[in-house]
Structure formats: structure tokens, C-alpha cells
Amino acid sequence: MSAVAEKIASVRANIRRRDPDQREFLQAVDEVFESLTPVFEKDPQYLEVFERLVEPERQIAFRVPWIDDSGKQQVNRGFRVQMSSALGPYKGGLRFHPTVNLSVIKFLAFEQTFKNSLTTLMMGAGKGGSDFDPRGRSDREVMAFCQSFMSELYRHIGADTDVPAGDINVGAREIGFLFGQYKRLANNFTGVLTGKDLRWGGSLIRPEATGYGCVYFAQNYLSYKSDSLKGKRCVISGSGNVAQYTAEKLLQLGAIPLTFSDSNGYVLEPTGFTQEQIDHVMELKNTKRVRISEYCAFSETAQYFPGKKPWEVAADLAFPSATQNEIDEEDAKVLVTNGVKGVFEGANMPSTNEAIEVYKSFSVMFGPAKAANAGGVAVSGLEMAQNSQRMQWSREEVDAQLEKIMKDIFENSLAASQKYGLKDDIQAGANIAGFLKVAEAMIHQGCV
């Protein structure tokens, strides 16, 4: 074993020794490590940088007490992991979900580092959240929780320090409550959160950005392969913000969105969702906040499959847009068997490493999350720019910038992959391109 190989093995072992129980975080690190090995072999100084990068600059955990509608005390746990400020203020969303723990938040913050770097905007990376579950809670309860959560978080964030946004179960309602409490405590009105309402500092296209961006990324990949989205049958998981706008943009570009899902099952429109039907899904999930099965009362053609995943539907492309590790090795094999030629990740790390190996072994086009779903944070960065200018850009201007950013991400990932002799391995290229930009900044800024 060469000296470089020994050092790589030593760094990898040290990471696992420090955090042996953080399964999601270690999975994310392993995925990137494999891609970066050619970089480390070519220039070992980058390995030392990576060893620093995997250790967050700051990890914050705190108690979140609040009173429910029955007058009972509830206590949740809050987190903010500030991963890297090498390229700018920490930037990344907040997730409210029972599965949230430190490992999940660290993996998200680690992934965010590469994603934000790829956007070409000057943003560092962070992620946060809580094991609070807003489903079934009243607006008053959600407000009480958000105010308690921000009462601690506000001392760690700021427009030039750390700018959170939304993620799973943190939408316009939650961002509003969080921003209101921040403004009350800090006594200033600044762009400290993104994903805000248009009437008080938000950006056009921000709700659509992750879904639209993922489709733009797929469009660029297909164009590189001398193909297009037109007529492609597409399976989509999830039914939240990302899934909704993925379906909408697919429809606009001539593709056929077939499915939406939630944790209870999936709904299929055999000939594809129309815009009217997508609008109804948005009403069910964003306003009524009910299960996707309720959609069948609206559509006579819809079919509902309880306890199933949409990957069993024959399709050309897949857009996993729900949550991490929703596609395992067996699911990936089902996708391939059913004719899927491309997988583009709208969610964060929805494919296990074993699933990714299946994609590669069958030459499936793969758009990894840190590249394919970077549209959301890209438009968050544009929202920050608009807040600094005290201006609001037009819908057309923001959408054009988003489309260009996603094109640049694809082309930069492809170029990095080819530079290191990896042909068109976009997963490896995204990891390499994202890492090198952060690594160069860290080298210039010294051992901090």
C-alpha cells in the first residue's frame, strides 16, 4: 500500500472512530470519499483539507419546550450544524420531523457544503431542525413551537452569519412564525431566513426552485445524451413542495408525471397528471394537509396503492423527492427492470450507496442530490441578494438565473469528471467540483 493510500485509510478510519453511531453521516462521507480518491492520489494536500472539512465548525443542540393546546408541556430537541463558512455565511434549511437527530443533520450539512459550492454563489453550508412533528398540530401549536425554537436559534444566526431556510415540514407557515420571532428578539428586519412570503422579502420562484431545478438538471443530462424530456414517463416520490413542482415543470417541458406518494402509499394517474390535477395535489398537501390517498376522491382515473412505493411503475425516468434512503438496492433493481434510464434526486440522499451501484452497473443516468436538487438553495442565494438590494426581481429573471445555474452545475460536474478520467460519472464530478472550490478557499484561509 502506498503512503497516500495508507493516509486515506487512516483518515477514513478516524472519521468512523469519532462518530461510530452516526449512520447517515458516515454514509454521506463514504459516498464522497470514494469519488475524491483520485483527487487525493493526485494531490495529497487535499486529503488534509478533507479531514478538516468533515468536522463541523460548530454543532449546536438545544432544548425546545412549548405548551400544546391542552395546556401540557412538550419538549423537543433542536439542532443547528454550521458545517463550513469557507465560501460565505452558513446556508441551509431546517427540517422538522420525528427522524431528526444529530447524524441526520450532520449528513445534510455535509451534503449542503458541496451543493452550495456547486451553485457558484458565495454561500457556506449548515443545516438544522428538530424532532418536532407538525403533522396534526394546530397553527397555534406550530407557532408556539417555532417561537420557542427561534428563541434559542436566533443567537446563532444572522444575515451575514447563518441564513436558514425551509426543508421537510418547514414551509411558508413555519418560516413566517420563525421570522416573526427572530424580528421580535433581534429588533431588526434583515434577510436572516429565506423562503419568506413574497409580501415581506421573499423571492419569486423560491417555492418552485428545487423541483424546477431538478428537472432543468435532467434536461441538461438528456441533452448531453442527445435526448429530451418530451414524452418521457416519469415516476415521482413524495407529494410535498419538491415533488409538486417537479411534476409541474416536467409537464411544462413535455414529459408525463405519473405518480405522487407519501409514507402510506402512492397514487398513479395512468396517462399522467394534468396541471389541474397537480393543482389539486397542491391544495390537498399545502392547504388541507391530508394524505395523498385523498386525491382519489377528486379523480376517477387515479389508482391508489397503499403500503407501496412508486418504483414498481413502468417509466423512463425517476425523480425521488421524498426523503433520505427511500431507494435501496432492491428498489433500484425494480426501477431498472421497469425500464428507467435516469434517476434524478430531488430529495437529499434518497438513494443508498448500494442503489447507486445498481444505477452505475446498468448505465442509468444519475443526477445526485447535491447537484440535481441545488436549485432550491440557489434561489435562496438569489433571495439573499434581493434582500441586500431591497429589491424584488421578476419571475422571468429568477427563473432564467435558475436555469443557467443548473446548466452550469451539470457542465462543471461533467468537466470535473472528465478531468480525472472518470468519463461522464456525474456523481463523482459533482463531488470533485464542489469539493475543490471549498478546499481552495480553506487552503487560502489557513488552518482554521
Side-chain angles (χ1 to χ4, degrees):
M1 183 182 290
S2 69
V4 174
E6 287 182 1
K7 179 62 175 173
I8 290 172
S10 174
V11 170
R12 202 164 189 169
N14 194 43
I15 293 169
R16 302 192 79 83
R17 179 187 60 77
R18 281 182 168 178
D19 300 305
D21 301 322
Q22 295 184 3
R23 181 173 58 87
E24 296 85 358
F25 174 64
L26 291 174
Q27 178 186 339
V29 171
D30 283 343
E31 184 265 324
V32 172
F33 222 126
E34 291 295 332
S35 301
L36 295 182
T37 298
V39 178
F40 301 148
E41 290 174 342
K42 186 174 182 179
D43 193 340
Q45 74 165 332
Y46 287 124
L47 184 57
E48 293 187 357
V49 176
F50 186 79
E51 192 172 12
R52 268 194 289 145
L53 181 62
V54 296
E55 191 65 28
E57 293 180 11
R58 191 171 294 106
Q59 301 180 68
I60 303 155
F62 51 95
R63 180 179 62 202
V64 188
W66 56 282
I67 304 298
D68 67 18
D69 284 346
S70 66
K72 293 182 180 178
Q73 172 186 278
Q74 302 290 334
V75 181
N76 289 97
R77 184 173 289 173
F79 301 95
R80 187 67 178 174
V81 172
Q82 296 173 330
M83 199 80 195
S84 171
S85 60
L87 297 179
Y90 308 109
K91 184 80 192 81
L94 299 170
R95 174 177 295 191
F96 294 167
H97 195 272
T99 60
V100 164
N101 56 39
L102 183 58
S103 175
V104 168
I105 298 301
K106 278 181 69 177
F107 116 66
L108 291 168
F110 181 72
E111 289 275 295
Q112 197 80 40
T113 305
F114 300 85
K115 184 187 307 184
N116 292 4
S117 172
L118 285 167
T119 68
T120 73
L121 304 175
M122 301 312 297
M123 296 183 291
K127 206 76 178 185
S130 173
D131 57 1
F132 170 72
D133 187 354
R135 290 177 299 180
R137 293 293 183 182
S138 69
D139 286 350
R140 192 214 66 81
E141 288 178 316
V142 173
M143 181 176 69
F145 171 81
C146 287
Q147 289 177 342
S148 181
F149 183 85
M150 184 54 77
S151 293
E152 174 59 33
L153 186 66
Y154 91 99
R155 60 187 94 238
H156 307 289
I157 64 176
D160 295 315
T161 304
D162 184 349
V163 183
D167 193 86
I168 293 174
N169 289 333
V170 179
R173 174 182 62 169
E174 290 76 18
I175 291 293
F177 292 150
L178 291 164
F179 184 83
Q181 183 71 352
Y182 177 86
K183 184 164 59 72
R184 171 199 278 175
L185 295 169
N187 193 32
N188 61 43
F189 191 111
T190 58
V192 71
L193 290 164
T194 56
K196 301 185 292 297
D197 188 278
L198 286 172
R199 291 164 291 189
W200 42 273
S203 174
L204 289 157
I205 302 291
R206 178 59 190 92
E208 299 93 329
T210 305
Y212 277 20
C214 190
V215 177
Y216 287 145
F217 188 90
Q219 183 182 43
N220 279 284
Y221 206 147
L222 285 162
S223 178
Y224 166 71
K225 294 288 189 180
S226 301
D227 203 347
S228 75
L229 285 166
K230 192 170 180 61
K232 296 291 189 294
R233 291 171 60 82
C234 304
V235 285
I236 303 167
S237 67
S239 49
N241 180 286
V242 178
Q244 293 164 16
Y245 288 111
T246 294
E248 181 171 272
K249 182 55 70 174
L250 284 169
L251 190 64
Q252 290 173 6
L253 295 180
I256 305 167
L258 297 170
T259 62
F260 287 103
S261 72
D262 59 22
S263 57
N264 289 357
Y266 75 91
V267 64
L268 166 70
E269 282 287 1
T271 60
F273 281 82
T274 65
Q275 186 61 56
E276 180 186 7
Q277 290 168 334
I278 293 171
D279 290 342
H280 188 67
V281 171
M282 291 180 179
E283 181 184 359
L284 290 175
K285 302 304 290 188
N286 303 343
T287 304
K288 295 182 178 180
R289 305 181 192 277
V290 296
R291 309 304 291 177
I292 195 63
S293 58
E294 298 291 321
Y295 171 81
C296 293
F298 171 79
S299 171
E300 295 180 355
T301 56
Q303 300 171 26
Y304 180 65
F305 299 85
K308 300 282 189 176
K309 297 180 181 181
W311 317 131
E312 64 186 15
V313 177
D316 301 301
L317 303 173
F319 292 83
S321 307
T323 191
Q324 71 265 15
N325 292 330
E326 58 176 298
I327 301 179
D328 60 21
E329 183 178 5
E330 292 306 311
D331 294 324
K333 290 177 180 177
V334 170
L335 283 170
V336 171
T337 300
N338 286 332
V340 167
K341 303 299 183 187
V343 177
F344 301 95
E345 298 185 326
N348 290 305
M349 203 171 73
S351 305
T352 65
N353 291 340
E354 293 77 16
I356 294 169
E357 288 305 311
V358 173
Y359 305 154
K360 290 184 176 181
S361 66
F362 286 92
S363 300
V364 172
M365 291 178 288
F366 177 48
K370 61 176 64 67
N373 82 6
V377 74
V379 174
S380 278
L382 300 180
E383 182 177 329
M384 291 165 67
Q386 292 169 76
N387 290 166
S388 296
Q389 295 174 345
R390 298 292 195 269
M391 293 177 65
Q392 190 173 78
W393 302 344
S394 70
R395 181 181 181 87
E396 292 73 22
E397 185 176 2
V398 178
D399 197 23
Q401 291 233 34
L402 171 62
E403 190 168 3
K404 181 182 183 303
I405 287 169
M406 299 312 296
K407 185 174 189 290
D408 289 344
I409 290 173
F410 176 78
E411 291 181 347
N412 291 341
S413 299
L414 178 62
S417 177
Q418 293 174 339
K419 177 181 177 181
Y420 282 87
L422 301 171
K423 298 182 180 179
D424 57 0
D425 186 339
I426 300 300
Q427 178 198 17
N431 286 333
I432 292 169
F435 170 72
L436 288 176
K437 184 178 178 184
V438 178
E440 290 297 333
M442 292 176 69
I443 290 168
H444 293 164
Q445 293 167 19
C447 186
V448 295

